[in-house]
Amino acid sequence: MEGFSPSLRFFIELTDVKTAVWLQYLYIVILSAIVYKLGFAKKLPLLKNIVIYFCLLIGCLVMLIFSYALPIAEGLAGAALLLIIYKIRLHQTKKQQSEAK
């Protein structure tokens, strides 16, 4: 159990191993979607969005494999937190600039 990443260890302590792996996958998918949406997403047609999120789901399988020993989910959580802070600050700055005019 020492070789697992912290988030996977947490999920294993809460549930059994099979459920923990599914929870870890779901956690990685949600964080990846948040990071993609806040950092990289542009306005695209619906079909292109479906293709992108399908590829994201497949890519998260690869990240799930790496997340057994590496802190992939923790890194995604940090990236999501930074992007959320950035978007909040950007919104506040734009609001202040529009009020100043």
Side-chain angles (χ1 to χ4, degrees):
M1 188 107 145
E2 287 295 318
F4 291 138
S5 69
S7 61
L8 186 57
R9 271 188 277 152
F10 174 74
F11 289 134
I12 289 173
E13 289 174 4
L14 286 179
T15 62
D16 60 309
V17 175
K18 186 176 181 180
T19 307
V21 171
W22 281 107
L23 288 173
Q24 179 81 351
Y25 177 68
L26 183 65
Y27 186 53
I28 289 172
V29 167
I30 291 170
L31 288 173
S32 296
I34 290 171
V35 168
Y36 169 72
K37 184 73 175 165
L38 291 176
F40 306 103
K42 295 183 179 186
K43 298 276 183 183
L44 294 173
L46 179 64
L47 187 59
K48 288 183 181 180
N49 267 335
I50 291 171
V51 170
I52 286 174
Y53 282 105
F54 179 74
C55 292
L56 186 125
L57 288 173
I58 293 171
C60 286
L61 286 173
V62 175
M63 287 195 288
L64 176 66
I65 294 168
F66 287 129
S67 76
Y68 286 130
L70 299 173
I72 300 293
E74 291 79 3
L76 284 169
L81 182 64
L82 286 174
L83 285 168
I84 289 169
I85 292 169
Y86 169 74
K87 290 292 183 175
I88 290 171
R89 296 288 305 250
L90 182 66
H91 179 71
Q92 288 175 347
T93 304
K94 285 183 179 180
K95 185 177 176 182
Q96 288 175 352
Q97 287 177 352
S98 67
E99 289 175 355
K101 288 183 180 180

